Amino acid sequence: MNANDTEFVPQPRPSKKERMKLPRQHMPEQDPARRRENFEEVNQGLTVLGAAAEAARCIECGDPKCMRGCPVGVKVREFVELIVAGDVLGAAAKIREDNILPAVTGRVCPQETQCEGCCILGNKFEPLGIGYLERFVADYERRHGQVGLPEIAPPTGKKVAIVGSGPAGLSAAGDLIRMGHAVTVFEALHEIGGVLVYGIPEFRLPKAIVRHEVDAMRAMGVDFQTNVVIGRTATIDDLMTEEGYDAVFVATGAGLPKFLDVPGEHLNGVYSANEFLTRVNLMRADAFPESDEPVYDCRGKDVAVVGGGNTAMDAVRTACRLGARTSYLVYRRSETEMPARAEELKHAKEEGVTLMCLTNPVEFHGDADGFVSRMRCVRMELGEPDASGRRSPVVVPGSEFDTPIQMAVIALGTSANPLVQSTTPDLATTRKGYIAADPETLRTSKRGVFAGGDIVTGGATVILAMGAGRKAAASIHEYLTTDAWAEVGEA
Ligand code: FAD
Ligand code: SF4
């Protein structure tokens, strides 16, 4: 039983000296052998007792560095103190002052490099489980049906359009509606949430959690329009002239997949990670055979996922769950350089993923029907550090070898979704095709249009996109109430 279902009872707290020696609470997980057969969440959440014990580890620093490590400045010490005092709902309200999606960030933030990476306890012992506690508090709040709607300011008569419903668009919508503006979110897909629903799989972030937050925003008055592709159905100019929007926030993300650019990448059975994950997450391949499967049936097949980031981990672990006989993770550097979170790599290994490190595919071969049947790779070794500071991979001459595969997924990162830029002539872009926006105000070169999240920064993190959404909301509010505008780059 997940003790989130029971009432929270505060626990007696040891002295600060004793607290330092308390072990970090372990996150209960589904057993690897069982979980690789299902799409249910792997991490099960702290129990009530576990959360109380973990919160009690906080040593109440005078200068809590964890807060500075959080990109949106969640008041970690204060919310942990509220847990210790037994006021879990108060703790939830405290987090929500800075972060409207705590159940999401508690699950997917790279805490080890953010809040927990700055926790003083981590210098000598294990850092406080801030992500675990954030998740616990948000889940407790949801299960106890206590997510209260915030106060909404009187209507301002201003209309704001938000293009894209990922974390940047959602957090901007949440703030703008509270300020009294009418907010419409336009989303190209049939489900709201951006990468939170189409990219991150159910076993890491259940979609019900995102839907719950979206429903709360709907109840606050946010109008969500799905299956609307801005740039096709209507342009940004149409929104501002014909449809009378006073401001637009572009939060279209970086969903354009990158490829290896090697022969055979066009073969049947070779997917981009975005396409593969979207098909599984939004078109119910995860419920096969009850639902029709909109991806190639990989049961009993050998699948190679190319890449070493979180997207590659999500794809390879998804392939495992779809019944692949072998799930290879092909990465051109070594395990040490992998950009994926340590927890993802650990989970992937436990689930039986076969790592092929220091390996790079150079060609895919197909069978007579045009389906991929073999992957030719070269071995790599590490040379001098490159611009990213990581040692760059160098091909080992004469090291080609073939591996039979029947499906491949390319997870090499993404670039800007280009449609809005190409249909908005006066919107300045960067050399790489991202929207140019002032880092402080998120104003673009076009009056009344703001941009933020991955479409400005390139692929980043959920919490950074949410931070951008909040910044944009404050800036849009200022514009709508003062009508002041300075172009990108102007003081
Ligand atoms: P997105 O989430 O990409 O949302 C953009 C939305 O805009 C999409 O729904 C898209 O359909 C819509 N859109 C695009 N063009 C149009 C248009 N013309 N008209 C209307 N709508 C449009 N980050 C973490 O912090 N932790 C993780 O564990 C993590 N895992 C990840 C796993 C995967 C598989 C991927 C792909 C990314 C992951 N990330 C993770 C990164 C994180 O999800 C992104 O940085 C974040 O979602 C960016 O938010 P966003 O709102 O800018 O864009
Ligand atoms: Fe840590 Fe993320 Fe929560 Fe900030 S939002 S405190 S980085 S888990």
Side-chain angles (χ1 to χ4, degrees):
M1 182 185 73
N2 186 313
N4 236 322
D5 297 330
T6 65
E7 291 300 321
F8 185 86
V9 182
Q11 302 296 310
R13 203 171 192 194
S15 72
K16 280 192 189 179
K17 213 169 163 192
E18 284 169 342
R19 279 180 227 168
M20 291 195 192
K21 295 183 202 139
L22 293 175
R24 181 176 158 119
Q25 291 295 304
H26 175 71
M27 170 62 77
E29 293 171 356
Q30 261 200 82
D31 176 66
R34 198 176 90 74
R35 72 183 191 234
R36 61 162 291 157
E37 315 250 299
N38 69 53
F39 277 83
E40 285 155 32
E41 200 176 2
V42 169
N43 288 344
Q44 303 286 291
L46 290 182
T47 62
V48 165
L49 281 179
E54 187 59 29
R57 293 182 64 231
C58 177
I59 52 169
E60 304 164 87
C61 306
D63 174 22
K65 296 201 169 27
C66 49
M67 244 186 87
R68 279 188 251 147
C70 169
V72 296
V74 164
K75 299 174 195 80
V76 176
R77 203 194 124 169
E78 290 176 46
F79 97 71
V80 174
E81 278 310 297
L82 285 162
I83 303 178
V84 172
D87 183 4
V88 183
L89 298 178
K94 183 57 68 186
I95 300 173
R96 280 179 185 277
E97 286 175 11
D98 305 290
N99 170 2
I100 59 154
L101 301 174
V104 173
T105 50
R107 286 170 165 83
V108 305
C109 260
Q111 289 104 8
E112 62 277 16
T113 56
Q114 297 183 345
C115 49
E116 293 181 19
C118 296
C119 171
I120 296 284
L121 270 178
N123 292 346
K124 246 182 139 178
F125 308 96
E126 284 191 286
L128 186 69
I130 299 168
Y132 292 179
L133 289 173
E134 188 166 294
R135 171 197 162 127
F136 170 81
V137 163
D139 289 355
Y140 186 95
E141 182 192 44
R142 196 175 61 257
R143 287 181 197 193
H144 288 73
Q146 300 271 356
V147 183
L149 293 184
E151 217 172 290
I152 311 272
T156 61
K158 301 286 184 187
K159 280 172 66 174
V160 183
I162 295 180
V163 186
S165 70
L170 289 179
S171 62
D175 279 3
L176 285 163
I177 199 86
R178 270 183 273 184
M179 293 166 181
H181 307 299
V183 179
T184 305
V185 177
F186 296 101
E187 170 54 52
L189 296 172
H190 61 272
E191 176 118 16
I192 297 294
V195 171
L196 304 182
V197 292
Y198 84 73
I200 303 180
E202 186 76 16
F203 56 83
R204 276 211 300 132
L205 176 62
K207 273 164 241 345
I209 285 168
V210 183
R211 284 192 196 119
H212 183 85
E213 300 291 348
V214 170
D215 286 346
M217 282 191 201
R218 232 181 233 120
M220 284 158 63
V222 176
D223 175 26
F224 288 102
Q225 304 272 335
T226 50
N227 300 311
V228 180
V229 184
I230 299 301
R232 291 253 188 286
T233 324
T235 62
I236 298 283
D237 284 317
D238 295 337
L239 294 178
M240 299 189 84
T241 52
E242 288 167 29
E243 301 196 25
Y245 285 95
D246 300 288
V248 178
F249 177 45
V250 183
T252 44
L256 195 70
K258 290 182 185 160
F259 285 93
L260 282 161
D261 216 8
V262 299
E265 233 173 347
H266 61 279
L267 286 163
N268 290 322
V270 182
Y271 292 94
S272 72
N274 259 28
E275 182 184 352
F276 175 66
L277 289 170
T278 305
R279 282 173 176 273
V280 176
N281 290 332
L282 289 191
M283 297 164 82
R284 299 309 325 273
D286 57 352
F288 183 77
E290 287 80 34
S291 73
D292 285 342
E293 190 182 31
V295 285
Y296 181 49
D297 180 2
C298 61
R299 284 177 301 169
K301 309 269 170 51
D302 307 306
V303 178
V305 173
V306 185
N310 285 327
T311 305
M313 290 296 166
D314 283 342
V316 79
R317 296 176 66 200
T318 295
C320 273
R321 284 160 173 78
L322 290 177
R325 174 174 53 199
T326 322
S327 310
Y328 297 111
L329 187 78
V330 187
Y331 180 55
R332 61 194 186 133
R333 291 182 162 100
S334 78
E335 213 179 297
T336 322
E337 286 81 27
M338 266 190 197
R341 290 185 69 186
E343 183 185 55
E344 302 308 319
L345 179 60
K346 171 181 164 283
H347 282 164
K349 284 184 187 169
E350 287 168 358
E351 288 161 14
V353 166
T354 306
L355 295 188
M356 287 174 81
C357 288
L358 292 167
T359 303
N360 205 27
V362 289
E363 189 168 0
F364 294 99
H365 294 265
D367 61 17
D369 298 321
F371 280 88
V372 68
S373 59
R374 201 157 41 93
M375 167 177 73
R376 174 152 300 171
C377 294
V378 286
R379 304 245 184 246
M380 312 293 284
E381 59 189 7
L382 293 178
E384 294 302 312
D386 64 12
S388 72
R390 292 177 302 171
R391 291 179 65 194
S392 51
V394 182
V395 176
V396 176
S399 62
E400 288 86 358
F401 67 99
D402 284 0
T403 303
I405 54 164
Q406 297 82 48
M407 188 170 134
V409 179
I410 314 297
L412 298 177
T414 51
S415 54
N417 284 334
L419 192 56
V420 165
Q421 297 86 302
S422 64
T423 53
T424 317
D426 39 358
L427 193 62
T429 55
T430 66
R431 201 171 40 84
K432 290 189 171 168
Y434 294 99
I435 297 178
D438 181 283
E440 288 312 313
T441 63
L442 300 189
R443 289 175 185 182
T444 66
S445 57
K446 188 174 172 67
R447 188 181 179 92
V449 179
F450 300 74
D454 281 6
I455 190 59
V456 169
T457 57
T461 63
V462 170
I463 192 67
L464 284 170
M466 282 172 58
R470 298 211 74 187
K471 216 183 229 188
S475 199
I476 290 171
H477 182 67
E478 193 198 351
Y479 169 64
L480 294 178
T481 48
T482 63
D483 202 32
W485 184 267
E487 302 298 328
V488 176
E490 284 181 25

